[in-house]
Amino acid sequence: MKAMSNVDLYAISHELNELLKDARVQKAYQPTQDTVIIRFHVPGKGRVDVAFQAGLRVHTTQYPPENPKVPPSFPMLLRKHLKNATVREVRQHNFDRILEIDIQKEHRFTLVVELFSQGNIILLDEENRIILPLKHRHAQGRKITSKEEYHYPPERGIHPLKVELEELKELFKDSDSDLIRALARSGLGGMYSEEIIQRSGVDKKQPANQVSDQEIESIYENLVELFRPLKTFQFQPQVVREVVEKEEENSENKTSEDKSPKGKEDVLPLDILTYQDFQKERFDTFNQAADEFYSGKVGADIKKVQEDVWAKEVGKYEKRLRIQEETLEKFQETIVDTKKKGNLLYSHYSEIQNLLDIIHQAREKFSWMEIASKLKKARKEGMKEAQIIESMDKMGVLTLNLEDERVIVDANLEIPENAEKYYNKGKKAKRKIKGVNIAIERTRKDVERMRNKRELALERVKVPQKRVRRELKWFEKLRWFLSSDGLLVIGGRDAGTNELVVKRYLDNQDIYLHSDIHGAPSVVIKKGEMEEIPESSIMEAGSLAASFSSAWSKGYGSQDVYWVHPDQVSKTPQSGEFVARGAFIIRGSRNYLRGIPLKIAVGIVDYEGERIMAGPAESVSKYTDNYVVLKPGFTKKEEIARSVLKKIDPERILSLEDVIRVLPSGKCDFVDNRRR
C-alpha cells in the first residue's frame, strides 16, 4: 500500500488543523500493530475519529476498525496523558512526512506522527522529551525511546512552495544522476517529478548537471504552477482509478460497459496530467478521499492478518499430526526391519559363528582396535569369513553386510542374543503403535476442530464498515422523550444546552423541572395543543430530570425533583448574586416530586421516523415493545451500550454512538436482562 507523500500530508495537516482546533481528545485505540485511532470531540460537530498508521497514512475515518478486547500499553498511555486535553494546532514539519499535533492539558504535549521509512507515533512532553514511542528505534543517529530528547531526521531536499530558481540550479549542478532521479530525490517523489518533467517537455534521462538554464527555467515554472493550489489551499481531492478496456473479438465499437476501473489506483489532492485518462472520484476534502482509498485496503489487511493468525494456530496441530504420522511410519518400518535383520542372523548363522570364533580367539592376544585392523587387512587379502564385515568399533561391535542389509552384531554376545535384541526392538515398536494411533486420532479431531473454528472466526472478522452520520432532529441534540400523553419533553445535556432549553424552547404555557441536586439538566415539558399538562407527564418528566442528574453517577436509588412555571425561571441575578452558565434562579414556591426512582428505559420508537428514545419505562413502553430498562450500576457505558444495541436493534439501524448518546452519565446495569 502506498505511503502518503509530503504533498498529501500538507493537505491533510491543513484540513486537520481547521477541523480539530479546540477539539477535545476522548479516547485512543490500537486496532493493529502500527495503527492508532484517536477519537476527538469537535465543538458543534461531535465525534471525529482520526487514523494514524505509522509509516503510511493520517486521515479522519468513518470506517472505525474493531478494537482489541485488551488495549495495548501505547493507547492506554495516550488516554492517561491526553484524555480531555484540547488540540491547539496541527502542522506539518518542514514539508516533510512528519505531522505534529500540539495538545494542551495541565501541560503541553506534542504527538508526532512519522510517515517516512517504517514510521512511528511518538508522544512528547513540553520539553520535547519522549514520553513513549509506538516503536523504540535506535538508528541513523536518532535514539527514539522513553526519556530521550526527540530529534528530527536531517533535513534534505527542497521545499516546493518556497524553492527559488537558483536553488534548483544548484540542485542539478551538484547531482551525479539523471534529471528525473535528481528531482525525485529532492523530496518531490517519483510521481510529482514525472509530472513536472512531462509538463516541461525536457528529456528526463539526461544527466542533471548538463541541463540547460532554459530547461531549468521551464522545470521551475511548471513546478511552481503544479503546486500553486497548495499555497491557497485550493485542493482537488480525488481517488483515481485506471480504466482498462476489455478485449473482445469482432468488436469495433466498444461501449462504456467494455471499460472498467481494474488497474492502478491512487489518491491525491491535486489534478495532474499523469492521471488525465483515469476515472476520477471527487471528494469535498482530502481526508474523505484518503479515507475511501485506504480504509478498503486496510479492511483487506485486517482479514489477512486474521487469516495468518489462524493459519498459525491450525498449523501447530497440523505439524503435530505430521510428526505423529511420521513416527507411526517409522515404527512400522522398525517392525519390518528388525524382524528381517533378526532372521538374517539365523539364516547366516554358521558363517557369522565362524567369524565370531576367529574374533574370540584373537581377543585372547589383541585389543578390539588391533582385531579391527587385522580383520580389515584380512578382508583385503580375501579371507572368506571377513568379507561380510563392513566395520568394527573399539567395543567389539560389528557392522555386517548380509544380503545388502547392514546388520549390527555385538561380538561380546552370542548370535541368539543379538537376534533377540532385534526382535525385542520390533516388539517394543509394535506396542507403541497402539498409543500413536490413539494420539493421531485425537490430533486429527483437534485439526478438524481448529479448522472449523478458523472458518467460523474468519466469517466473523469485521472488515471496517462505513459509519454514516445520521442527521439529528433538533430535539435529538438534547435529552428528550415523548410522554405517555404524547407531549415532547426535552432537557439539557450540558451547560450550553441547558441555556438553550430555557432561552429558546421554554414557552409561557410549558413547565420547567430540575432535580434537587447540583449537576442536573434543565427539563421542559412542551404543552403543545393540550389545554393542561397532565400529572402523568409531569411525573415522567421528573424521572428524566432525576435520572440524568449527578445522582446517577453517585449511585443513588432515587432523587427529589421540583417543577415550576416559566415565569419563575430567571437568568437575572439580584445584587451580589452570580449565575453560572447553564444555571438559573428560581423564584417563588416549588412543587416537589419526592423520591423519584432512577431508572431509564431505552428503545426504538417511530417518531418522525425510527429513532432511539430514552425516558421513563411508562412512556417508552407506550410506543414500543422492544426496550430495556437501566439503573445506576457498575458496567461501563460503552459495554452496556453494546448490550443494549444487541437487545433492541436486531436490524442494525443504529450505531453504538447512537446508544451511548442517550445514556446517563455514569455506569449502568440492566433492571432485568430479558428483552421486552
Side-chain angles (χ1 to χ4, degrees):
M1 200 186 316
K2 88 149 197 169
M4 280 185 165
S5 69
N6 45 12
V7 176
D8 295 339
L9 197 60
Y10 180 87
I12 287 289
S13 62
H14 172 74
E15 291 181 356
L16 286 181
N17 189 51
E18 295 283 308
L19 175 66
L20 296 182
K21 199 160 189 176
D22 297 327
R24 282 186 296 105
V25 179
Q26 289 188 316
K27 288 187 178 180
Y29 305 94
Q30 189 179 343
T32 65
Q33 185 176 1
D34 288 337
T35 305
V36 171
I37 306 290
I38 298 183
R39 181 170 299 165
F40 298 89
H41 178 81
V42 177
K45 188 176 181 68
R47 163 183 167 176
V48 172
D49 290 339
V50 180
F52 303 88
Q53 189 167 1
L56 191 68
R57 62 189 175 118
V58 175
H59 56 80
T60 59
T61 182
Q62 294 188 71
Y63 295 86
E66 190 173 16
N67 296 307
K69 295 286 187 289
V70 179
S73 59
F74 186 72
M76 292 301 289
L77 181 130
L78 292 182
R79 293 183 195 183
K80 174 186 173 182
H81 287 285
L82 303 183
K83 187 173 183 180
N84 292 323
T86 303
V87 176
R88 294 304 181 204
E89 184 185 12
V90 182
R91 61 181 175 272
Q92 180 185 25
H93 171 70
N94 195 38
F95 209 77
D96 203 346
R97 288 189 292 163
I98 300 174
L99 184 83
E100 298 178 324
I101 305 178
D102 278 347
I103 304 171
Q104 186 70 43
K105 205 174 179 181
E106 293 87 359
H107 304 285
R108 181 180 62 83
F109 299 94
T110 303
L111 189 69
V112 179
V113 185
E114 298 181 345
L115 298 188
F116 56 85
S117 186
Q118 295 179 343
N120 215 333
I121 303 171
I122 307 159
L123 183 64
L124 308 179
D125 64 18
E126 56 191 349
E127 295 178 347
N128 219 40
R129 292 198 173 274
I130 298 170
I131 297 174
L132 188 71
L134 179 64
K135 305 174 186 179
H136 293 267
R137 290 276 187 268
H138 193 179
Q140 298 177 342
R142 301 175 72 224
K143 194 173 181 180
I144 307 298
T145 192
S146 299
K147 298 183 180 178
E148 291 290 327
E149 186 177 354
Y150 177 77
H151 295 285
Y152 295 105
E155 292 185 10
R156 62 183 183 85
I158 60 174
H159 193 311
L161 304 186
K162 299 178 180 179
V163 64
E164 299 291 341
L165 178 59
E166 291 305 315
E167 188 180 351
L168 204 59
K169 287 181 179 179
E170 286 297 316
L171 174 73
F172 293 149
K173 178 183 174 183
D174 297 337
S175 175
D176 58 359
S177 64
D178 59 32
L179 179 58
I180 190 68
R181 284 188 176 87
L183 205 55
R185 290 169 183 169
S186 72
L188 295 181
M191 182 182 70
Y192 288 110
S193 298
E194 290 277 358
E195 177 72 15
I196 292 165
I197 297 299
Q198 181 182 349
R199 293 184 179 201
S200 305
V202 179
D203 180 10
K204 67 181 182 181
K205 294 183 179 179
Q206 64 177 307
N209 55 20
Q210 295 180 17
V211 181
S212 68
D213 286 349
Q214 186 178 355
E215 288 174 322
I216 295 176
E217 287 174 9
S218 176
I219 292 169
Y220 177 74
E221 289 170 3
N222 282 283
L223 184 154
V224 171
E225 184 61 29
L226 173 62
F227 294 121
R228 192 183 304 280
L230 297 185
K231 287 188 174 182
T232 55
F233 309 115
Q234 300 299 308
F235 308 126
Q236 297 105 28
Q238 58 194 276
V239 173
V240 297
R241 299 179 179 90
E242 186 177 12
V243 178
V244 180
E245 293 188 3
K246 296 179 183 177
E247 294 184 4
E248 295 185 6
E249 296 180 4
N250 304 321
S251 175
E252 295 182 0
N253 299 317
K254 295 182 183 295
T255 66
S256 60
E257 294 179 355
D258 298 327
K259 297 184 178 182
S260 58
K262 288 184 177 179
K264 182 179 178 181
E265 285 188 319
D266 206 347
V267 59
L268 59 160
L270 299 172
D271 275 326
I272 61 174
L273 295 177
T274 305
Y275 293 140
Q276 62 182 344
D277 295 327
F278 280 48
Q279 185 183 86
K280 294 180 175 68
E281 184 180 359
R282 303 281 184 173
F283 294 86
D284 293 334
T285 69
F286 187 56
N287 273 273
Q288 292 172 353
D291 192 22
E292 291 298 324
F293 177 79
Y294 286 104
S295 293
K297 293 175 172 53
V298 169
D301 288 347
I302 288 172
K303 191 152 191 174
K304 185 180 183 304
V305 167
Q306 289 300 311
E307 286 171 349
D308 291 345
V309 168
W310 279 102
K312 190 175 180 180
E313 284 295 313
V314 175
K316 287 192 294 188
Y317 289 92
E318 290 175 335
K319 182 180 179 181
R320 183 190 300 172
L321 179 61
R322 186 168 61 252
I323 292 170
Q324 289 171 341
E325 288 175 338
E326 289 171 356
T327 302
L328 176 63
E329 188 177 342
K330 286 177 183 176
F331 283 153
Q332 290 169 336
E333 290 173 354
T334 297
I335 292 169
V336 174
D337 184 62
T338 52
K339 184 177 180 182
K340 182 179 180 181
K341 289 178 177 179
N343 291 343
L344 282 171
L345 289 175
Y346 280 107
S347 62
H348 293 267
Y349 196 100
S350 60
E351 58 184 303
I352 296 171
Q353 189 60 56
N354 289 337
L355 177 61
L356 292 177
D357 289 343
I358 293 170
I359 291 172
H360 290 153
Q361 289 174 10
R363 185 74 178 95
E364 294 176 2
K365 297 180 181 180
F366 304 105
S367 68
W368 289 116
M369 294 303 293
E370 289 172 325
I371 293 170
S373 178
K374 290 179 180 297
L375 287 174
K376 186 177 181 181
K377 183 178 179 183
R379 184 184 177 193
K380 287 181 180 179
E381 293 174 350
M383 179 181 172
K384 181 181 177 183
E385 290 83 356
Q387 296 308 306
I388 61 173
I389 300 174
E390 282 194 0
S391 65
M392 179 173 156
D393 68 13
K394 61 183 179 181
M395 300 302 293
V397 177
L398 295 156
T399 301
L400 306 181
N401 187 327
L402 304 177
E403 300 179 19
D404 294 327
E405 287 286 340
R406 299 178 72 194
V407 182
I408 305 299
V409 174
D410 188 345
N412 297 292
L413 303 175
E414 298 298 327
I415 293 174
E417 291 177 287
N418 278 289
E420 192 63 24
K421 285 175 70 175
Y422 275 113
Y423 292 142
N424 286 338
K425 189 175 180 181
K427 289 174 185 176
K428 188 176 180 181
K430 193 171 184 178
R431 287 195 300 271
K432 287 184 176 181
I433 279 178
K434 183 179 179 181
V436 173
N437 278 325
I438 293 171
I440 285 173
E441 187 59 32
R442 187 183 300 123
T443 304
R444 281 175 177 160
K445 289 179 181 178
D446 288 338
V447 169
E448 186 63 26
R449 176 174 56 82
M450 290 303 293
R451 284 174 177 168
N452 291 336
K453 284 182 72 173
R454 175 185 63 187
E455 294 305 315
L456 189 61
L458 291 179
E459 285 176 9
R460 291 176 177 172
V461 170
K462 292 182 180 178
V463 174
Q465 299 297 313
K466 188 170 185 177
R467 180 172 56 85
V468 180
R469 188 184 297 276
R470 185 171 59 86
E471 286 299 321
L472 299 178
K473 296 286 186 180
W474 69 269
F475 52 83
E476 288 184 287
K477 297 175 182 178
L478 309 168
R479 302 289 185 190
W480 75 280
F481 75 93
L482 281 182
S483 77
S484 56
D485 303 301
L487 298 180
L488 179 63
V489 179
I490 57 174
R493 304 181 66 88
D494 50 30
T497 49
N498 275 344
E499 294 271 344
L500 193 68
V501 164
V502 173
K503 290 181 177 179
R504 182 179 298 181
Y505 298 117
L506 180 62
D507 295 323
N508 290 335
Q509 305 303 313
D510 298 337
I511 283 180
Y512 174 91
L513 300 94
H514 196 277
S515 184
D516 198 17
I517 190 173
H518 180 71
S522 288
V523 176
V524 170
I525 308 173
K526 300 298 294 177
K527 180 172 176 289
E529 301 296 324
M530 280 197 173
E531 291 185 7
E532 189 174 331
I533 295 176
E535 186 71 24
S536 53
S537 288
I538 296 175
M539 290 298 295
E540 290 167 12
S543 180
L544 182 87
S547 297
F548 285 99
S549 72
S550 59
W552 187 285
S553 59
K554 292 176 179 177
Y556 294 177
S558 63
Q559 177 61 37
D560 293 345
V561 174
Y562 62 82
W563 66 268
V564 296
H565 295 290
D567 57 6
Q568 295 178 254
V569 183
S570 173
K571 191 70 178 176
T572 306
Q574 293 182 354
S575 179
E577 287 184 327
F578 170 76
V579 182
R581 184 168 181 260
F584 296 90
I585 297 169
I586 306 299
R587 295 191 169 93
S589 61
R590 307 178 184 190
N591 305 284
Y592 276 90
L593 308 174
R594 300 291 185 183
I596 300 290
L598 269 60
K599 291 180 183 177
I600 282 292
V602 181
I604 297 175
V605 301
D606 187 0
Y607 178 59
E608 298 185 23
E610 285 192 307
R611 61 192 73 252
I612 190 169
M613 184 172 89
E618 295 82 1
S619 62
V620 177
S621 63
K622 176 77 178 291
Y623 302 100
T624 181
D625 294 326
N626 186 19
Y627 67 94
V628 295
V629 182
L630 303 173
K631 63 181 179 180
F634 304 96
T635 307
K636 289 183 178 179
K637 185 185 278 192
E638 189 160 313
E639 185 179 341
I640 204 80
R642 290 184 193 279
S643 300
V644 170
L645 193 63
K646 188 181 295 185
K647 289 172 180 290
I648 70 172
D649 187 23
E651 296 180 5
R652 300 296 181 192
I653 66 171
L654 301 174
S655 70
L656 184 65
E657 287 300 309
D658 291 329
V659 180
I660 291 174
R661 191 178 66 250
V662 303
L663 296 181
S665 297
K667 297 179 180 179
C668 311
D669 278 326
F670 290 105
V671 170
D672 57 57
N673 286 317
R674 66 185 179 87
R675 185 167 134 194
R676 301 191 176 215

